[in-house]
Amino acid sequence: MHEVVQDYYGRQLQGSADLKTDACCDASAVPEWLKPLLARIHPQVLSRYYGCGLVCPPLLEGCRVLDLGCGSGRDVYALAQLVGPSGSVVGVDMTAEQLAVAEQHRDYHAEQFGFDNVRFLHGYIERLEDLDLEPGSFDVIVSNCVVNLSTDKEAVLRGIHRLLKEGGEFYFSDVYADRRVPDALRTDPVLYGECLGGALYWNDFISLARSSGFIDTRLIEDRPLQITNPELAERCGNLRFFSASYRLFKLAQLESDCEDYGQAVVYRGTVVNSPHRFVLDKHHVIEAGRVFPVCGNTWRMLADTRFAEHFEFIGDFSTHYGLFEGCGGGLPFDGEAGGGADAPCC
């Protein structure tokens, strides 16, 4: 499938308008505060971008960031502005035509930003160990609708876990199915290129993430996908697809379930562009100044990461009260477009 993807994104597609579905768009629109950053990016880089939105977690200043499937470099150049001169961004892609566009405009962006803090590598996200990347050296790894295009998703996740620092996170948007995609669809070149054929069944993704070292997957937001092409819709039948953004933390002490230790946090309201509430995930929308009960895993995701200074922490791990109330299974995505709940924990 590597050849299929390279041909589809390197030669067949010339821009987002050539896509036959909206699967390559992440679950959210670009926020207003990010638009000035995109305005500083070279028009040719923007024109060769296939998708919409921007996969971008908060608090990136000074971070070392890796963008998987960076394409023409749009997200790399946006992230470069957010990490600033004390941070750096590395982009990896397997499509030479896309990387040529990204490299061609490095000097342009260095002049625009006043610093050059980016690097582009040609390679496969299933073989990150083959690239000049030091294990445990990245604060954040991002990708936008790329993992589903990989033929070995377990290798991708294991490689990501290997490259992250302790306390680092994989923050990404991708496509998932409500059931396992049949072989006939998985090998269809157009469906694969449109990010549908390679979509994981959501529960298989969670199992794969856990076996790769990411014990507690956190869903940030999601939306059902619309297959507007009648022929593709007919081929997919009753399969439902979702675009979803997840964050996976590399934290060795996370537990397999949300355990209750009687803990709580208070958000200080100090994260830039988030003065009123902090969104950790779909079920953890933490209002500033308000005591918010959390499970042990959520506590560690805030206390043992770059977010720690923005919270007050109440309690410890000395007493265990059992499973945190409200945790459960089932399809995590909304059936219709919409947001998540404000209830604490899962």
Side-chain angles (χ1 to χ4, degrees):
M1 281 295 179
H2 282 153
E3 294 77 12
V4 170
V5 175
Q6 287 173 316
D7 178 69
Y8 202 70
Y9 287 88
R11 288 176 283 277
Q12 293 192 41
L13 298 182
Q14 296 301 313
S16 296
D18 297 326
L19 293 164
K20 296 177 176 63
T21 72
D22 63 352
C24 292
C25 296
D26 66 32
S28 62
V30 175
E32 288 297 322
W33 62 270
L34 274 176
K35 291 180 180 178
L37 279 64
L38 297 177
R40 302 174 73 188
I41 297 175
H42 194 281
Q44 188 179 5
V45 170
L46 294 174
S47 71
R48 293 299 299 270
Y49 173 70
Y50 308 130
C52 64
L54 177 65
V55 179
C56 178
L59 290 179
L60 292 181
E61 186 175 359
C63 286
R64 190 160 189 256
V65 178
L66 175 64
D67 181 14
L68 300 180
C70 66
S72 63
R74 189 205 75 156
D75 289 5
V76 168
Y77 288 122
L79 293 165
Q81 299 173 71
L82 292 171
V83 303
S86 61
S88 63
V89 185
V90 179
V92 172
D93 204 274
M94 68 175 179
T95 307
E97 292 88 346
Q98 289 280 74
L99 285 178
V101 175
E103 286 282 10
Q104 181 182 345
H105 300 294
R106 276 189 66 177
D107 291 343
Y108 170 88
H109 292 102
E111 184 175 343
Q112 282 283 312
F113 306 157
F115 50 85
D116 182 8
N117 62 349
V118 305
R119 182 164 65 114
F120 295 99
L121 297 175
H122 182 265
Y124 297 94
I125 63 173
E126 302 93 340
R127 301 203 295 265
L128 292 172
E129 69 278 3
D130 294 343
L131 303 178
D132 181 24
L133 300 171
E134 183 183 352
S137 64
F138 288 97
D139 300 287
V140 176
I141 297 178
V142 300
S143 77
N144 193 350
C145 205
V146 169
V147 176
N148 71 86
L149 295 173
S150 169
T151 54
D152 189 346
K153 296 170 177 61
E154 182 176 10
V156 175
L157 290 174
R158 288 189 181 278
I160 289 168
H161 191 272
R162 173 177 170 270
L163 291 174
L164 282 172
K165 299 177 181 178
E166 178 70 11
E169 68 167 319
F170 180 33
Y171 188 102
F172 69 112
S173 180
D174 223 288
V175 177
Y176 302 90
D178 69 337
R179 64 198 75 184
R180 295 182 179 119
V181 178
D183 288 346
L185 299 182
R186 287 197 301 111
T187 55
D188 183 289
V190 174
L191 286 174
Y192 208 92
E194 290 284 328
C195 301
L196 301 178
L200 274 174
Y201 166 46
W202 67 270
N203 208 22
D204 286 345
F205 158 69
I206 291 174
S207 298
L208 199 60
R210 286 177 174 170
S211 67
S212 301
F214 297 108
I215 304 303
D216 189 347
T217 59
R218 294 300 178 97
L219 175 63
I220 305 165
E221 55 188 341
D222 60 88
R223 64 179 176 87
L225 291 179
Q226 304 298 321
I227 304 175
T228 54
N229 182 287
E231 182 182 348
L232 294 185
E234 178 65 25
R235 272 189 255 173
C236 291
N238 292 323
L239 268 171
R240 289 192 297 159
F241 294 96
F242 299 84
S243 174
S245 297
Y246 276 93
R247 66 189 334 155
L248 312 181
F249 287 95
K250 181 179 179 178
L251 289 165
Q253 292 184 288
L254 292 183
E255 299 181 88
S256 59
D257 292 295
C258 295
E259 302 293 345
D260 188 354
Y261 296 92
Q263 298 160 306
V265 298
V266 179
Y267 173 48
R268 301 179 189 272
T270 51
V271 173
V272 176
N273 297 308
S274 300
H276 305 299
R277 62 178 191 165
F278 177 83
V279 180
L280 177 67
D281 57 53
K282 185 175 178 178
H283 299 287
H284 295 78
V285 181
I286 307 173
E287 188 177 334
R290 186 174 183 176
V291 175
F292 191 92
V294 294
C295 68
N297 281 356
T298 299
W299 170 285
R300 294 195 189 281
M301 290 175 187
L302 298 173
D304 298 339
T305 66
R306 67 188 189 283
F307 302 125
E309 66 182 274
H310 301 279
F311 288 85
E312 298 174 28
F313 297 91
I314 301 169
D316 53 34
F317 286 87
S318 60
T319 304
H320 180 232
Y321 298 98
L323 195 66
F324 200 101
E325 185 178 354
C327 291
L331 180 72
F333 310 131
D334 292 332
E336 299 178 358
D342 287 338
C345 204
C346 303

